[in-house]
Amino acid sequence: MTDPRPEAQVVLRLENITKRFGKLTANGAISFDLRQGEVIALLGENGAGKTTLMNILFGHYTPDEGHVEVFGMRLPAGNPRAALAAGVGMVHQHFTLADNMTVLENIVLGTRSIWRLGFGRAQARQRIVTLMEDYGLRVDPDAQVGSLSVGERQRVEILKALFREARILILDEPTAVLTPQETDDLFATMRKAVALGLSVIFISHKLHEVMAISSRVVVLRHGKLVAEAKTSETDRAAMAQMMVGSEVAAPVVRRADPGAALVTLAGVSSPDIGSAPGLKNVDLELRAGQITGLAGVSGNGQTALADLIGGLIRPASGTFHVKGDAPRGWSPHAAISAGIARIPEDRHKTGTIADFDLTENAVLELYSRPGFSRHGWMNWRAARDFAAKIIRGYDVRCPGPETRIRLLSGGNMQKLILGRVLETAPSVVLANQPVRGLDIGALTYVHEQLLAARDRGAAVLLISEDLDEVTALSDVIHVISEGRLSPGFARGAMTPAELGVWMAGDGFEEAPHAA
Amino acid sequence: MRLEPIANPTWTRSLGLPAVALFATVVVASLLAMIAGAQPFSVLGLIVKGAFGSKFATLETLNRATPLIFTGLAVAVAFRAKLWNIGAEAQLYMGAVFTVVLGTGALAWPAFALLPTIAVAAMLAGAVVLLVPTFLKTRFSVDEVVTTLLLNFVVLLWVSMLLEGSLKDPMGLGWPKSARLIAEARLPRIAEGLRLHWGFGLALISALVVWVIQRRSTLGYEMRAVGLNPAAARFAGIPVNATLIKTALLSGGLAALAGFSEVAGLKGNLTLDISPGFGYTGIIVAMLALLNPLGVVVAALFVAGIFVGADSMSRAAGVPTYLADIMLALALLAMVLAIMLTKFRVRRD
């Protein structure tokens, strides 16, 4: 990126923004300016305060101190409508689109008075088509949003903001759901937007993307602005260090000799889950002493595969074997009994019970085992000892086993889940998005534990949206796309770009005579 | 204005707010009494005196609290697992019906065998009534609020039919009431000459048992897990549907014991007005007790005290008795608000 001229107009000014939640200071006196025609990368680990800051900027939260100025005008606090009217457009990580309406209707939705009959469809279409050409955002205006891919939906969200005449775009982790190719397209759009005089705040923790697209970097750590630099004057290592405050080492991975296949799927299909596809004729082997990585854009059947191995669903067709047996009455309980450790995708909604304390959460899967209960009566002393053992052994930072788990950070929650499932010496580990939302310290810890489990001889399945994570850890990589599974690729056999082709769904041969 | 969740409410907040709620109830009720023409704060004194002022009054209050403890426990147990049982009234009547069916001479057993048999049969009957909506919920996702509520009317009409038909007392001069229980089927009084029957003792024991189940048993753990987060419970391998069914058995059984205790302890026969809405008042009791089984006992005494005290207060002060209903409604609203304010803080923008 070319640096904007220093005299370029300041379009957005954050002045001394402070926001506290109880004892936690989510944002402490943060100030920075965004100038016209520049891309600021807002960098920070999860929990560093990026999302809080953007929610204040967009009026979802009221700051305790400080204020926001847009084009020199002070925004009233806590008023998203005012932020919109001032020209701030936000594209959230989770899209806010109506699936049963067309692209055109979604874009226009909410911009027209409900008392008007019709909404000037032809006029709106004209504007949208112009916007698409100007910004290189290609999507069929008459397609139903429900039928679009994730990348296309994101384009609709951006078009929505542009249609509302946004001059400042905030993109919250936009690349998390994109293939490498789609990311390139997004960056092209961002460059066009900047050339047309817009300004962009780009939130990410992927450093190579930040290097590629931003003109300036703002780094948050523990709610404070710790560094601000021109992208051209810094590098990835320096940024990583600014984010975490210490040197970051990449995980060291040894080669391992794979053992027997512990979980085998042959020609397995499963029904779709809502709008997410089920499995389509999937062949997969999870071998002992090997990490099998599953790459793919989220919502392409990962949930179905995790649910199947985790015991939540049964295959509709095909054969499914665990340790050589075809399980009868497959259930979460059966999966746990078979020695499958399950790290769920959503640790808040399915992994833990927020209002249970650590002890109660630690024995969630094991309470019915002898030792934790007898004849229907809980042995709470044993449960507390077990929780204390996990807290010590897995470095769970908490006041004690009586703490409600909702008060723990994501990383400590994940460590408790890790401890809960790994303490039983499982032979299969199913890790679904195990480091999503974790800071680098917790992330490294989780990866070490997965590698240690593999070295002990467990078969590990690592499901992640982060291609870098999958390629760094996996001995074998499969790509999943629309419920179809690619063949296994050995470590290093494929470049990220080649995997990206599979992620986009292009490598798969259409099965002949498929029903 | 908006609500902000409080991560970790302080003790003063979680105990002080309910106390403030009760105090506010008393103040507002006193104002209403003043509007009705009474001395404002004398009304409260009269209620307390009417409820606990004499031995007779106290025993009357304990008798009145007995069915409320059972229905309060039934609701508290079910609500803890987020099984919305609004049908305690129907389950109470089922318990009453089976007490009459077995207790009017069908089984000529001695009391020590007959009473437990009747109690168990009554509990099973009540449980079955709740099992149907629970099965519809677990199997077909039918909303149990609607089914349990509507079953109240179905069961009440069925009891009405029985009292005009097969259960009608032949010696009853045509009134819709059942025959009286045989002596062996009556719950004895706790002490000679005391107008308080063992139903009250059974209610206290039930509260203790439920409390122990919730605190120490795997079922109690499962019930809380299912109530707080069914998705996580299912993922962890807790049998969610089986837990709901067990909860229904316990809840329906407890509500049925209210009917058993009223018929076998207090009344001696079954009439259509055996419950002036104990099943519904049980919801208020459970909510006031914050679903705590031991709290249910306290809340039931509070509610029963207001009802009993309001009768004598109304005679003494010339204020309508339905001031008692208003007080209860106020107490419930204030308590619900207090519970919410222990979890959320109101923020002004």
Side-chain angles (χ1 to χ4, degrees), chain B residues 17 20 22-23 26 29 59 62 64 67 72 126 136 152 162 190 204-205 207-208 244 256 287 298 300 312 323 341:
Chain B
L17 276 170
V20 169
L22 287 183
F23 181 73
V26 167
L59 292 177
L62 297 185
R64 186 72 77 93
L136 290 174
N152 285 339
L162 289 178
I190 283 179
L204 292 185
I205 295 167
L208 206 61
L244 285 174
M287 294 301 283
V298 179
S312 68
L323 187 64
L341 287 178

mmCIF file of all heavy atoms in Angstrom, chain B residues 17 20 22-23 26 29 59 62 64 67 72 126 136 152 162 190 204-205 207-208 244 256 287 298 300 312 323 341:
data_model
loop_
_atom_site.group_PDB
_atom_site.id
_atom_site.type_symbol
_atom_site.label_atom_id
_atom_site.label_comp_id
_atom_site.label_asym_id
_atom_site.label_seq_id
_atom_site.Cartn_x
_atom_site.Cartn_y
_atom_site.Cartn_z
ATOM 1 N N LEU B 17 -31.909 -7.497 47.874
ATOM 2 C CA LEU B 17 -32.976 -7.126 46.949
ATOM 3 C C LEU B 17 -34.279 -7.865 47.225
ATOM 4 O O LEU B 17 -35.336 -7.246 47.265
ATOM 5 C CB LEU B 17 -32.512 -7.326 45.505
ATOM 6 C CG LEU B 17 -31.719 -6.149 44.955
ATOM 7 C CD1 LEU B 17 -31.082 -6.490 43.626
ATOM 8 C CD2 LEU B 17 -32.627 -4.936 44.788
ATOM 9 N N VAL B 20 -35.845 -6.218 50.145
ATOM 10 C CA VAL B 20 -36.451 -4.952 49.739
ATOM 11 C C VAL B 20 -37.776 -5.214 49.035
ATOM 12 O O VAL B 20 -38.768 -4.505 49.239
ATOM 13 C CB VAL B 20 -35.491 -4.168 48.813
ATOM 14 C CG1 VAL B 20 -36.205 -2.989 48.171
ATOM 15 C CG2 VAL B 20 -34.267 -3.710 49.579
ATOM 16 N N LEU B 22 -39.908 -7.665 49.483
ATOM 17 C CA LEU B 22 -40.955 -7.995 50.448
ATOM 18 C C LEU B 22 -41.407 -6.747 51.193
ATOM 19 O O LEU B 22 -42.598 -6.532 51.425
ATOM 20 C CB LEU B 22 -40.450 -9.052 51.441
ATOM 21 C CG LEU B 22 -40.320 -10.462 50.858
ATOM 22 C CD1 LEU B 22 -39.896 -11.430 51.940
ATOM 23 C CD2 LEU B 22 -41.633 -10.904 50.224
ATOM 24 N N PHE B 23 -40.454 -5.906 51.555
ATOM 25 C CA PHE B 23 -40.779 -4.680 52.260
ATOM 26 C C PHE B 23 -41.668 -3.791 51.391
ATOM 27 O O PHE B 23 -42.683 -3.257 51.848
ATOM 28 C CB PHE B 23 -39.493 -3.948 52.654
ATOM 29 C CG PHE B 23 -39.723 -2.675 53.409
ATOM 30 C CD1 PHE B 23 -40.146 -2.719 54.733
ATOM 31 C CD2 PHE B 23 -39.535 -1.444 52.801
ATOM 32 C CE1 PHE B 23 -40.372 -1.555 55.431
ATOM 33 C CE2 PHE B 23 -39.768 -0.272 53.492
ATOM 34 C CZ PHE B 23 -40.185 -0.316 54.811
ATOM 35 N N VAL B 26 -45.210 -4.935 51.357
ATOM 36 C CA VAL B 26 -45.942 -4.578 52.571
ATOM 37 C C VAL B 26 -46.389 -3.115 52.513
ATOM 38 O O VAL B 26 -47.536 -2.777 52.824
ATOM 39 C CB VAL B 26 -45.038 -4.830 53.804
ATOM 40 C CG1 VAL B 26 -45.629 -4.176 55.036
ATOM 41 C CG2 VAL B 26 -44.863 -6.319 54.013
ATOM 42 N N ALA B 29 -49.193 -2.729 49.938
ATOM 43 C CA ALA B 29 -50.427 -3.337 50.424
ATOM 44 C C ALA B 29 -51.051 -2.481 51.517
ATOM 45 O O ALA B 29 -52.272 -2.334 51.574
ATOM 46 C CB ALA B 29 -50.135 -4.748 50.942
ATOM 47 N N LEU B 59 -51.874 -23.210 63.845
ATOM 48 C CA LEU B 59 -52.138 -24.543 63.294
ATOM 49 C C LEU B 59 -52.902 -24.440 61.977
ATOM 50 O O LEU B 59 -52.647 -25.190 61.041
ATOM 51 C CB LEU B 59 -52.939 -25.371 64.308
ATOM 52 C CG LEU B 59 -52.153 -25.744 65.565
ATOM 53 C CD1 LEU B 59 -53.045 -26.494 66.543
ATOM 54 C CD2 LEU B 59 -50.953 -26.601 65.191
ATOM 55 N N LEU B 62 -50.417 -23.644 59.376
ATOM 56 C CA LEU B 62 -49.598 -24.807 59.000
ATOM 57 C C LEU B 62 -50.404 -25.768 58.137
ATOM 58 O O LEU B 62 -49.900 -26.319 57.148
ATOM 59 C CB LEU B 62 -49.086 -25.528 60.251
ATOM 60 C CG LEU B 62 -48.149 -24.722 61.151
ATOM 61 C CD1 LEU B 62 -47.630 -25.593 62.287
ATOM 62 C CD2 LEU B 62 -46.975 -24.182 60.343
ATOM 63 N N ARG B 64 -52.824 -24.962 56.179
ATOM 64 C CA ARG B 64 -52.987 -24.345 54.867
ATOM 65 C C ARG B 64 -51.666 -24.404 54.081
ATOM 66 O O ARG B 64 -51.668 -24.506 52.863
ATOM 67 C CB ARG B 64 -53.457 -22.901 55.026
ATOM 68 C CG ARG B 64 -53.800 -22.208 53.726
ATOM 69 C CD ARG B 64 -55.095 -22.734 53.115
ATOM 70 N NE ARG B 64 -56.252 -22.195 53.803
ATOM 71 C CZ ARG B 64 -56.894 -21.091 53.406
ATOM 72 N NH1 ARG B 64 -56.499 -20.443 52.347
ATOM 73 N NH2 ARG B 64 -57.924 -20.646 54.067
ATOM 74 N N PRO B 67 -50.466 -28.255 51.654
ATOM 75 C CA PRO B 67 -50.555 -28.519 50.205
ATOM 76 C C PRO B 67 -49.663 -27.588 49.397
ATOM 77 O O PRO B 67 -49.164 -27.979 48.334
ATOM 78 C CB PRO B 67 -52.030 -28.303 49.883
ATOM 79 C CG PRO B 67 -52.546 -27.449 50.988
ATOM 80 C CD PRO B 67 -51.754 -27.815 52.207
ATOM 81 N N GLY B 72 -45.559 -26.446 45.738
ATOM 82 C CA GLY B 72 -44.377 -25.600 45.552
ATOM 83 C C GLY B 72 -43.152 -26.430 45.202
ATOM 84 O O GLY B 72 -42.377 -26.079 44.303
ATOM 85 N N GLY B 126 -50.399 -39.034 39.775
ATOM 86 C CA GLY B 126 -50.007 -37.665 39.451
ATOM 87 C C GLY B 126 -48.878 -37.639 38.433
ATOM 88 O O GLY B 126 -48.865 -36.817 37.518
ATOM 89 N N LEU B 136 -44.790 -35.766 25.075
ATOM 90 C CA LEU B 136 -45.066 -34.968 23.870
ATOM 91 C C LEU B 136 -43.955 -33.941 23.652
ATOM 92 O O LEU B 136 -43.589 -33.637 22.520
ATOM 93 C CB LEU B 136 -46.407 -34.255 24.009
ATOM 94 C CG LEU B 136 -47.635 -35.168 23.964
ATOM 95 C CD1 LEU B 136 -48.902 -34.376 24.252
ATOM 96 C CD2 LEU B 136 -47.740 -35.836 22.598
ATOM 97 N N ASN B 152 -55.234 -29.311 33.227
ATOM 98 C CA ASN B 152 -55.891 -28.949 34.476
ATOM 99 C C ASN B 152 -57.412 -28.981 34.313
ATOM 100 O O ASN B 152 -58.131 -29.501 35.161
ATOM 101 C CB ASN B 152 -55.471 -27.538 34.908
ATOM 102 C CG ASN B 152 -54.067 -27.508 35.460
ATOM 103 O OD1 ASN B 152 -53.550 -28.536 35.884
ATOM 104 N ND2 ASN B 152 -53.444 -26.346 35.450
ATOM 105 N N LEU B 162 -66.706 -37.925 37.823
ATOM 106 C CA LEU B 162 -66.614 -39.028 38.791
ATOM 107 C C LEU B 162 -67.495 -38.745 40.003
ATOM 108 O O LEU B 162 -68.168 -39.631 40.530
ATOM 109 C CB LEU B 162 -65.171 -39.229 39.245
ATOM 110 C CG LEU B 162 -64.198 -39.817 38.228
ATOM 111 C CD1 LEU B 162 -62.802 -39.901 38.828
ATOM 112 C CD2 LEU B 162 -64.660 -41.191 37.780
ATOM 113 N N ILE B 190 -50.718 -35.115 64.392
ATOM 114 C CA ILE B 190 -49.338 -35.157 64.878
ATOM 115 C C ILE B 190 -49.320 -35.318 66.385
ATOM 116 O O ILE B 190 -48.490 -36.025 66.941
ATOM 117 C CB ILE B 190 -48.586 -33.883 64.421
ATOM 118 C CG1 ILE B 190 -48.225 -34.045 62.945
ATOM 119 C CG2 ILE B 190 -47.346 -33.632 65.262
ATOM 120 C CD1 ILE B 190 -47.503 -32.882 62.345
ATOM 121 N N LEU B 204 -42.698 -31.613 55.188
ATOM 122 C CA LEU B 204 -41.356 -31.198 55.617
ATOM 123 C C LEU B 204 -40.316 -32.228 55.199
ATOM 124 O O LEU B 204 -39.238 -31.887 54.685
ATOM 125 C CB LEU B 204 -41.316 -31.006 57.139
ATOM 126 C CG LEU B 204 -42.120 -29.838 57.694
ATOM 127 C CD1 LEU B 204 -41.877 -29.711 59.191
ATOM 128 C CD2 LEU B 204 -41.745 -28.530 56.991
ATOM 129 N N ILE B 205 -40.665 -33.526 55.394
ATOM 130 C CA ILE B 205 -39.725 -34.582 54.996
ATOM 131 C C ILE B 205 -39.481 -34.529 53.490
ATOM 132 O O ILE B 205 -38.347 -34.640 53.019
ATOM 133 C CB ILE B 205 -40.272 -35.961 55.416
ATOM 134 C CG1 ILE B 205 -40.344 -36.035 56.958
ATOM 135 C CG2 ILE B 205 -39.424 -37.087 54.862
ATOM 136 C CD1 ILE B 205 -41.141 -37.217 57.468
ATOM 137 N N ALA B 207 -39.611 -31.969 51.524
ATOM 138 C CA ALA B 207 -38.746 -30.841 51.192
ATOM 139 C C ALA B 207 -37.287 -31.206 51.441
ATOM 140 O O ALA B 207 -36.406 -30.919 50.616
ATOM 141 C CB ALA B 207 -39.127 -29.615 52.024
ATOM 142 N N LEU B 208 -37.058 -31.891 52.566
ATOM 143 C CA LEU B 208 -35.688 -32.289 52.900
ATOM 144 C C LEU B 208 -35.145 -33.288 51.879
ATOM 145 O O LEU B 208 -34.012 -33.175 51.405
ATOM 146 C CB LEU B 208 -35.671 -32.902 54.307
ATOM 147 C CG LEU B 208 -34.356 -32.816 55.060
ATOM 148 C CD1 LEU B 208 -33.953 -31.366 55.259
ATOM 149 C CD2 LEU B 208 -34.467 -33.538 56.401
ATOM 150 N N LEU B 244 -35.607 -35.586 31.878
ATOM 151 C CA LEU B 244 -36.878 -34.851 31.914
ATOM 152 C C LEU B 244 -38.005 -35.764 32.380
ATOM 153 O O LEU B 244 -38.893 -35.354 33.129
ATOM 154 C CB LEU B 244 -37.194 -34.273 30.527
ATOM 155 C CG LEU B 244 -36.367 -33.051 30.145
ATOM 156 C CD1 LEU B 244 -36.633 -32.642 28.707
ATOM 157 C CD2 LEU B 244 -36.677 -31.884 31.078
ATOM 158 N N ALA B 256 -49.170 -34.669 43.494
ATOM 159 C CA ALA B 256 -50.234 -35.598 43.857
ATOM 160 C C ALA B 256 -50.291 -35.794 45.362
ATOM 161 O O ALA B 256 -51.367 -36.000 45.932
ATOM 162 C CB ALA B 256 -50.015 -36.935 43.152
ATOM 163 N N MET B 287 -41.543 -19.717 43.015
ATOM 164 C CA MET B 287 -40.804 -18.545 42.534
ATOM 165 C C MET B 287 -40.307 -17.706 43.706
ATOM 166 O O MET B 287 -39.172 -17.226 43.701
ATOM 167 C CB MET B 287 -41.705 -17.677 41.631
ATOM 168 C CG MET B 287 -42.128 -18.332 40.330
ATOM 169 S SD MET B 287 -40.758 -18.808 39.288
ATOM 170 C CE MET B 287 -40.291 -17.236 38.608
ATOM 171 N N VAL B 298 -40.546 -22.125 53.661
ATOM 172 C CA VAL B 298 -40.688 -20.755 54.179
ATOM 173 C C VAL B 298 -41.714 -19.979 53.348
ATOM 174 O O VAL B 298 -42.614 -19.326 53.891
ATOM 175 C CB VAL B 298 -39.323 -20.034 54.160
ATOM 176 C CG1 VAL B 298 -39.465 -18.612 54.668
ATOM 177 C CG2 VAL B 298 -38.308 -20.812 54.977
ATOM 178 N N ALA B 300 -44.094 -21.148 51.502
ATOM 179 C CA ALA B 300 -45.448 -21.675 51.680
ATOM 180 C C ALA B 300 -46.044 -21.150 52.980
ATOM 181 O O ALA B 300 -47.235 -20.800 53.035
ATOM 182 C CB ALA B 300 -45.415 -23.208 51.684
ATOM 183 N N SER B 312 -59.063 -13.017 59.071
ATOM 184 C CA SER B 312 -59.395 -12.361 60.332
ATOM 185 C C SER B 312 -59.158 -10.863 60.243
ATOM 186 O O SER B 312 -59.889 -10.070 60.838
ATOM 187 C CB SER B 312 -58.585 -12.980 61.476
ATOM 188 O OG SER B 312 -57.226 -12.666 61.304
ATOM 189 N N LEU B 323 -57.672 -8.531 49.477
ATOM 190 C CA LEU B 323 -56.398 -7.835 49.686
ATOM 191 C C LEU B 323 -55.261 -8.863 49.776
ATOM 192 O O LEU B 323 -54.122 -8.589 49.373
ATOM 193 C CB LEU B 323 -56.455 -7.003 50.967
ATOM 194 C CG LEU B 323 -55.241 -6.105 51.214
ATOM 195 C CD1 LEU B 323 -55.122 -5.039 50.138
ATOM 196 C CD2 LEU B 323 -55.286 -5.463 52.588
ATOM 197 N N LEU B 341 -33.043 -8.077 39.043
ATOM 198 C CA LEU B 341 -32.070 -7.041 39.382
ATOM 199 C C LEU B 341 -30.835 -7.613 40.081
ATOM 200 O O LEU B 341 -29.815 -6.945 40.154
ATOM 201 C CB LEU B 341 -32.716 -5.973 40.258
ATOM 202 C CG LEU B 341 -33.678 -5.058 39.504
ATOM 203 C CD1 LEU B 341 -34.308 -4.052 40.449
ATOM 204 C CD2 LEU B 341 -32.983 -4.334 38.357
#
